[in-house]
Amino acid sequence: MKRGWSVSGLGFVLGVLSLLWGQSVGIGTANPHPRAILHLESTTQGFLPPRLSQAERDAIPVAARPEGLVIYNTTTKCLEYWNGTQWISTCASTAPCQSPSPPTASSNSPVCAGQTIYLLASNVPGATYAWSGPNGFYSTAQNPTIPNATTAHAGTYCVRVNVAGCWSDPVCVNVTVSSTTPVVSKAQFPGTQRNFLSGFLLGSSIYVIQGVQAPGCCIPVSGSYAYNITTDSWSSITDPPGSPKGLRGAFELGNYGYIVGGTPTWSNEAYRYDPITDSWQAIANYPVGVSDLSSRGAVGVGRYGYVLGGKNNSAGCFRNEIRRYNPLTDSWSTAGYLEGNATSLGRAQMFVFEIGGQIYYGAGGRWDCAPGMGFNTAYRFNPSTGTTAPIANTPFSGGVSAYCSLGGYGYVWNVWSGELWRYDPTANQWSKVCINLPAPPDIMLPYNGRIYFINTSHSDPTLRRVYEWEP
């Protein structure tokens, strides 16, 4: 057959090939090999495949790359072929390949729909990376991202590394993408912008007390309010005595709400609120000045109130006591210690909730005065025996802005990750909860099978409101 085919000549060859389907075709030879569909022979010419730069090569969609596709990479000056997963270069050493150790793969799974998937691979010196996954996903980035994830992006993602032309075995990570459940927007908060307020639930009303200016800390603001869940309406209530404060502890016992401590003076004041008379009464001072108790930092269990940890400005700065308030004797006593250890350094801004008469607490951290920063450890305290036992570590660390328990589960909103997590005490397990909450909560409390999130700190006043969610 004639050598030196032009484009039109190549078309003729393809036509001949279609006529001779199933027969060998030779160019430069009259005796093509019977096992070759196309046999090329020449002593003066070579076979010239398509020449693409690496950018042009990578622009070919993964789904459009047939296995066995051959190109010449003008960037690397190498002949390459697609093996169905990655490009294989013929520039690799002819010596036996020493496969590099695979990287460690991880992700931020579980992910809520609309969030970004982060795929993470550990650093391998001198390596190039190849990720593959659902829907034809392919990336050569070490740590690729997939924004605005949907449930269609769920599945297994695998990564390999290439070092000196040799590929590692793949390592894979499974990514879960969960649909979000809706919340119901309720009445707008009537007060000024603030954070680090405290709150308690009495009857069908949620009471929110003062706080500090937002953004920032720690200039206190006046103004306390009651949200009536039944009527979806706010009303002003009397502020506690003394100067305004934020970062107080708060709990409820019977028909009364209690607040303890507060910043900016690390107060040891404590008060009881009567919703019938809209009045406050001083109770026994807390044994030390304390603040940084997050939105509650305390809980009522049975006949007693419990305040956990916190921060003060005396030596040590962070408290490790679990203190109990007895309303019958109007007195405080030490019921136990954080981590079950009287020598623990303490922590502040933890979650604290009660399930089945047990107190669950954890996360939070230490700042300013002692090392530690954010923690992910958590514990269960038995008020009857004064004993503490560790529970599963939280998937998040650091301070929490709001938390409560409902239906035998604990719910925690983590400030640092901006996510809602649920704790199952039976399985001793944490799981992410996907809800379309427009603004993070400063207070969350349960009522009648629902959780009410209250935001008071958002810069947009239309988002400073109550949101209702039914698990």
Side-chain angles (χ1 to χ4, degrees):
M1 302 184 90
K2 185 178 178 180
R3 300 176 183 177
W5 292 100
S6 64
V7 173
S8 59
L10 179 59
F12 173 76
V13 169
L14 295 176
V16 171
L17 290 177
S18 66
L19 292 173
L20 299 177
W21 181 258
Q23 301 182 34
S24 298
V25 176
I27 297 178
T29 177
N31 299 300
H33 195 285
R35 290 297 177 184
I37 189 171
L38 178 63
H39 184 157
L40 307 178
E41 288 279 355
S42 177
T43 58
T44 60
Q45 294 174 298
F47 168 68
L48 186 63
R51 291 164 289 178
L52 286 76
S53 69
Q54 186 146 316
E56 291 169 331
R57 180 202 74 175
D58 292 342
I60 302 173
V62 174
R65 302 175 189 173
E67 188 174 339
L69 181 67
V70 176
I71 69 157
Y72 177 79
N73 189 324
T74 58
T75 302
T76 62
K77 311 302 182 185
C78 296
L79 193 67
E80 298 177 345
Y81 68 92
W82 178 254
N83 73 352
T85 302
Q86 60 198 11
W87 291 102
I88 303 299
S89 173
T90 59
C91 289
S93 170
T94 56
C97 227
Q98 298 295 320
S99 296
S101 298
T104 300
S106 61
S107 76
N108 62 329
S109 178
V111 176
C112 298
Q115 294 182 337
T116 297
I117 296 173
Y118 293 91
L119 300 172
L120 307 172
S122 59
N123 185 58
V124 177
T128 57
Y129 293 77
W131 281 91
S132 59
N135 307 308
F137 175 80
Y138 180 78
S139 176
T140 57
Q142 178 180 347
N143 300 313
T145 60
I146 304 173
N148 299 315
T150 69
T151 53
H153 291 104
T156 300
Y157 291 80
C158 299
V159 61
R160 304 173 75 189
V161 294
N162 186 301
V163 178
C166 299
W167 286 96
S168 72
D169 292 331
V171 290
C172 303
V173 61
N174 189 61
V175 173
T176 300
V177 181
S178 301
S179 299
T180 58
T181 56
V183 298
V184 179
S185 181
K186 310 293 279 187
Q188 186 172 332
F189 178 65
T192 57
Q193 185 181 5
R194 66 193 65 192
N195 56 22
F196 300 129
L197 65 161
S198 52
F200 44 77
L201 174 74
L202 297 175
S204 61
S205 292
I206 296 173
Y207 296 81
V208 296
I209 314 301
Q210 295 177 336
V212 300
Q213 287 183 7
C217 183
C218 293
I219 301 174
V221 296
S222 297
S224 301
Y225 303 88
Y227 172 70
N228 188 307
I229 297 171
T230 304
T231 62
D232 186 29
S233 61
W234 287 93
S235 60
S236 295
I237 66 168
T238 302
D239 272 340
S243 60
K245 293 178 177 62
L247 288 163
R248 284 179 162 122
F251 59 91
E252 51 275 315
L253 283 177
N255 298 322
Y256 301 101
Y258 295 80
I259 57 172
V260 178
T263 196
T265 57
W266 286 274
S267 171
N268 67 347
E269 298 169 278
Y271 298 96
R272 183 181 71 187
Y273 178 72
D274 184 342
I276 302 299
T277 61
D278 183 29
S279 62
W280 295 89
Q281 178 182 343
I283 63 172
N285 284 345
Y286 196 68
V288 295
V290 67
S291 71
D292 282 54
L293 293 167
S294 193
S295 64
R296 284 166 66 83
V299 65
V301 181
R303 297 186 294 112
Y304 304 103
Y306 294 84
V307 176
L308 287 77
K311 176 183 175 182
N312 76 347
N313 62 348
S314 63
C317 290
F318 290 87
R319 311 305 307 180
N320 69 350
E321 301 93 350
I322 301 175
R323 297 192 188 269
R324 179 170 58 209
Y325 176 70
N326 185 339
L328 296 180
T329 59
D330 186 29
S331 61
W332 295 92
S333 60
T334 299
Y337 295 92
L338 300 182
E339 304 173 28
N341 186 348
T343 62
S344 68
L345 293 177
R347 64 177 78 179
Q349 294 190 23
M350 301 174 290
F351 69 82
V352 180
F353 52 74
E354 177 268 342
I355 300 176
Q358 305 286 295
I359 298 174
Y360 295 81
Y361 67 91
R366 292 192 295 268
W367 305 269
D368 305 335
C369 305
M373 294 304 290
F375 295 104
N376 70 340
T377 50
Y379 300 86
R380 180 184 67 247
F381 175 71
N382 187 331
S384 299
T385 61
T387 56
T388 299
I391 63 171
N393 287 349
T394 62
F396 52 86
S397 62
V400 297
S401 66
Y403 38 86
C404 69
S405 60
L406 176 67
Y409 299 101
Y411 293 87
V412 179
W413 186 274
N414 178 241
V415 174
W416 293 6
S417 68
E419 297 168 325
L420 180 65
W421 293 86
R422 183 178 75 174
Y423 176 69
D424 181 345
T426 302
N428 188 28
Q429 180 176 325
W430 293 90
S431 58
K432 184 184 290 186
V433 180
C434 295
I435 61 174
N436 60 345
L437 193 63
D442 298 287
I443 294 284
M444 52 188 283
L445 287 166
Y447 178 75
N448 198 26
R450 295 175 174 86
I451 291 178
Y452 291 84
F453 302 92
I454 301 176
N455 178 280
T456 63
S457 60
H458 202 281
S459 58
D460 182 349
T462 65
L463 297 181
R464 297 200 293 265
R465 61 175 61 248
V466 180
Y467 300 94
E468 179 188 77
W469 175 63
E470 184 172 2

